[in-house]
């Protein structure tokens, strides 16, 4: 009887030790960008309360910004944000950003870089298997691509300085894409080309005294 009690107690202690070992916090590693492209690798994880998730930023310039399921590409008010982490392609050391898993609720994340979220650069911790799934979250993020293209201010290889939601009068007026002419390292509008021709005519007239036709 005594032996049985001791054996039972020993099993209970062993079970307790194994339970504590099983609950040991885990750190989940996630690679941001890099050779995989505009993605987090992996793009979602299952974590226990007490675990941490560490994001390793690889080349290009990305963020780890908390959002919500309803608005995948908008920062969550009061949520965490790593800020932009520029990393050179030949870098050998990579900055990190770690978040704690405080409860079982889903954590939704996206990259704040222009068009990255709409390209599918989103991440989730403990996304449900039904209902608000990671797949739906990803699909909703990509839907933002259409909205961003509707207000595209870009007219050359550099981003237009004015934001799309600002007064349109503050943005320079440029012709449609099919009216652009070749300008070397960047695209010029028709108006730009006409100004160049006029300038060439002025220079020619000063040299020859004539205002001949100058090709664009």
């Amino acid at each position: 009887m005594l032996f049985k009690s001791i054996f039972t107690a020993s099993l209970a202690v062993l079970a307790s030790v194994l339970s504590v070992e099983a609950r040991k916090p885990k750190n989940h590693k996630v690679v941001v960008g890099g050779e995989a492209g505009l993605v987090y690798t992996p793009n979602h994880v299952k974590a226990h309360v007490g675990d941490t998730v560490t994001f390793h930023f690889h080349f290009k310039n990305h963020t780890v910004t908390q959002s919500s399921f309803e608005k995948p590409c908008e920062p969550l008010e009061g949520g965490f944000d790593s800020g932009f982490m520029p990393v050179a392609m030949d870098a050998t050391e990579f900055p990190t950003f770690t978040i704690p898993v405080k409860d079982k609720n889903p954590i939704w994340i996206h990259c704040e870089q222009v068009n990255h979220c709409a390209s599918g650069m989103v991440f989730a911790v403990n996304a449900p298997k039904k209902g608000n799934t990671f797949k739906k979250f990803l699909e909703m993020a990509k839907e933002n691509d259409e909205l961003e293209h509707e207000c595209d201010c870009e007219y050359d290889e550099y981003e237009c300085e004015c934001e799309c939601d600002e007064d349109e009068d503050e943005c320079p007026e440029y012709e449609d894409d099919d009216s652009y002419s070749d300008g070397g390292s960047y695209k010029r509008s028709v108006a730009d080309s006409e100004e160049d021709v006029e300038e060439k005519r002025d220079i020619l007239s000063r040299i020859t005294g004539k205002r001949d036709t100058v090709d664009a």
Side-chain angles (χ1 to χ4, degrees):
M1 188 69 174
L2 178 61
F3 175 79
K4 184 177 180 180
S5 298
I6 295 175
F7 180 73
T8 302
S10 298
L11 286 178
V13 171
L14 179 60
S16 178
V17 171
L18 291 175
S19 177
V20 170
E21 186 68 24
R23 291 198 303 270
K24 185 178 180 179
K26 177 182 179 181
N27 180 260
H28 304 265
K29 178 182 177 180
V30 179
V31 175
V32 183
E35 294 181 356
L38 303 183
V39 294
Y40 298 94
T41 308
N43 57 13
H44 65 284
V45 298
K46 289 291 182 182
H48 295 286
V49 176
D51 286 356
T52 53
V53 182
T54 298
F55 297 87
H56 298 252
F57 292 84
H58 284 224
F59 68 84
K60 288 199 174 180
N61 192 3
H62 303 290
T63 76
V64 170
T65 307
Q66 187 173 10
S67 57
S68 63
F69 179 82
E70 292 77 15
K71 298 179 179 180
C73 298
E74 293 185 20
L76 179 68
E77 185 175 356
F80 57 77
D81 184 9
S82 68
F84 286 96
M85 297 283 195
V87 179
M89 184 173 293
D90 59 351
T92 56
E93 296 184 0
F94 308 98
T96 61
F97 181 72
T98 301
I99 62 170
V101 179
K102 300 178 180 179
D103 52 45
K104 296 181 179 180
N105 295 326
I107 301 175
W108 308 104
I109 293 170
H110 73 291
C111 177
E112 267 287 275
Q113 188 61 270
V114 177
N115 291 329
H116 285 198
C117 180
S119 297
M121 195 166 185
V122 292
F123 178 85
V125 179
N126 294 336
K129 292 183 178 180
K130 296 181 179 180
N132 295 347
T133 63
F134 176 77
K135 182 179 179 180
K136 289 184 179 179
F137 180 63
L138 177 60
E139 290 174 350
M140 291 171 65
K142 290 183 176 181
E143 288 176 0
N144 281 270
D145 186 48
E146 297 180 3
L147 299 177
E148 291 184 14
H149 282 290
E150 288 178 0
C151 61
D152 187 5
C153 290
E154 191 172 342
Y155 56 85
D156 59 20
E157 65 180 358
Y158 298 100
E159 182 184 356
C160 179
E161 293 182 356
C162 55
E163 296 293 337
C164 295
D165 57 357
E166 291 180 357
D167 188 349
E168 293 182 359
D169 293 336
E170 297 181 9
C171 293
E173 292 293 334
Y174 286 84
E175 300 293 337
D176 294 333
D177 290 343
D178 57 0
S179 65
Y180 282 109
S181 61
D182 185 12
S185 61
Y186 66 94
K187 291 182 178 180
R188 299 175 298 169
S189 67
V190 171
D192 290 336
S193 296
E194 291 176 350
E195 289 180 2
D196 289 347
V197 171
E198 188 64 27
E199 184 178 352
K200 291 178 182 177
R201 286 173 176 167
D202 289 338
I203 294 174
L204 184 62
S205 65
R206 288 197 295 269
I207 296 175
T208 64
K210 298 180 179 181
R211 200 171 172 82
D212 295 335
T213 301
V214 178
D215 294 332

